[in-house]
Amino acid sequence: MSESCFPDMQSNCNETMAANAEREPDLAIEDLGDEGGSPDGFEGRGSDESDSDIDRVGLEDDGGGPEPGGTDDEEEEARWTEDLSDFHIPDFRAPTGLTFTLPANPNPLDYFVEFISNELWNLIVEETNRYAHQKLCDLPESLAKFVPVTLAEMKAFVGINVIMGINVLPNPALYWSSDGFFGNQGIKKVMPKNRFQEISCYLHFNDSTCEPAHNSPGFDRLYKIRPILNSVLNKCRSNFKPTKNLSIHEGVIGHKGTRVSLRQDTLAKPSKHGVKVWMATDSSNGYVLNFDVYLGKEQGVRRHIYGLGYEVVTKLVRPFMNRNHHVFFDNFFTTTKLLEHLEVNSTYACGKVRCSRKDLPACAKDKLKAGEKLVRQKDHVVFTKWHHKQEVSIMSTIVSPLADDVEVNQVVKPVVIDLYNKSMGGVAHANQLRECYSVGRSCSKRYRHIFWFLIDISICNAFVLCNYHRLGQGQCKLKQLDFRLSLAKQLIGGFSTTMSAAQSSKRRKIEAFALEQGNSSKHFIDKIKGRKRQCVQCKREGAKTPKGRPIETSFECVQCSVALCKEVCFYDYHML
């Protein structure tokens, strides 16, 4: 992933804007990544007309360039006309769907491994053990006691974190509490508290000794998470071919760290402080197709000639261009130049627009009465302003200016506004899925927050693809809770640091069989490790030995974790 995503403005930006102002809209998007110059023509951040829910605090200033009202602005305004003409919008016919092969009866883990592969798991294990040795090299006694993390143990560790995201407690130590109202028996069996905290402490993803120094040529603020980030990003792009409509917006990785260069204050979001992430999703299901971690202003890096919003959209959409997709975004991004350039690359767009922007028709700032509509056209770019309870301004290349209005909930509105309302929610859907059972705990290391964000993205995308496939097979959808719970159990897979290797292997086989399709309602009995325990069913029925003592058994139900006599009691207990 390129680290020159959001370049800083150079002193010669006004000259570059003047040199490029006369360019035709057939500018190739692919050649714009490293060009410098001025932004896309905001008149300033003080406008009260913006209704975008993107917080601009901490973002690069998009102001600058030639002042409004100059010759270039007058020429652009003159190109808008009220003489409307129809134009052809090509049909979307690109293939859609999953790009990988699934087994006959896929389970949640089959989808998840397409995003977090075994190669990635091995990398995490290797770097975690390396980091532990680096931190303990000056403490020989502690280093001698450290037990290297294994692949199965790392998967179980992540599985425990998925369970913690479902069953949230205020303090991680409470999962190992002896208090029956807090302690989680399943987690206790998998891993002791001290071992969980030890893995959490040394969790690492890249060799810190090779990290370039600050301000050196290869310096990367995301170096410590870069291998995981690049791998997951590539999988998100390649595992699913999206449907017609895409949406672009922002997400936030909650983090209260004090590093101002990465932290953004997004007061309009549930996570009000954290790392901002630009995201592109499939509007129909919330699948995250592409994303980019916003690094803030970067010194010494040139900025894009049309500003931050233009750069974000073109970078996120570039892998899906020339397929006649329709892209939706809000007024933080929308400019005439952006829509023109996307259209040249067979990508059509629609977005709310602030009437204070440049390159809009002169009548854009006119006040309308309730029910009034204003439409202007410049080539294939259509500006629509409509007043219902408040004024809404839309600019698009996806709808003819002669299209009839539609009635929705007894309100007649322009069809382009109805399409925008229906297709803009893809990122919001993705954020809701991610925040519902979010994985990971608060810590001081921001790269670990990003890691858990990547795990969440992988789980949510796997969940979306699971339901996409199930619907295609005529099956009902899974609930995300059931999907995550099943995935967590499969990641843990019967692993336990308190069991012998043979016992752990046997338990993994039993639980794997229990998770297979058709076995979800079945229960399996296994031998208890250690001393016998009182049979729960015998206690319930009041049965005792001839000497009047409680009846004890050496067996328990794997799913219920209760001691039961092997024959009659096991059957009777599960028939209640």
Side-chain angles (χ1 to χ4, degrees), residues 370-371 386-392 411:
W386 176 67
H387 189 128
H388 178 45
K389 294 182 180 179
Q390 61 182 8
E391 290 184 346
V392 180
V411 176

Side-chain angles (χ1 to χ4, degrees), residues 338-386:
L338 173 60
L339 269 65
E340 290 173 339
H341 289 174
L342 288 176
E343 186 191 20
V344 170
N345 287 265
S346 299
T347 305
Y348 306 91
C350 175
K352 285 186 177 179
V353 62
R354 289 189 292 148
C355 292
S356 59
R357 281 195 185 271
K358 303 173 185 178
D359 301 342
L360 293 184
C363 59
K365 297 181 181 180
D366 292 352
K367 299 298 181 182
L368 303 181
K369 296 180 181 179
E372 288 187 333
K373 180 178 72 170
L374 184 152
V375 181
R376 295 292 184 269
Q377 182 178 359
K378 185 174 77 170
D379 298 325
H380 291 176
V381 180
V382 179
F383 173 85
T384 304
K385 187 172 185 177
W386 176 67

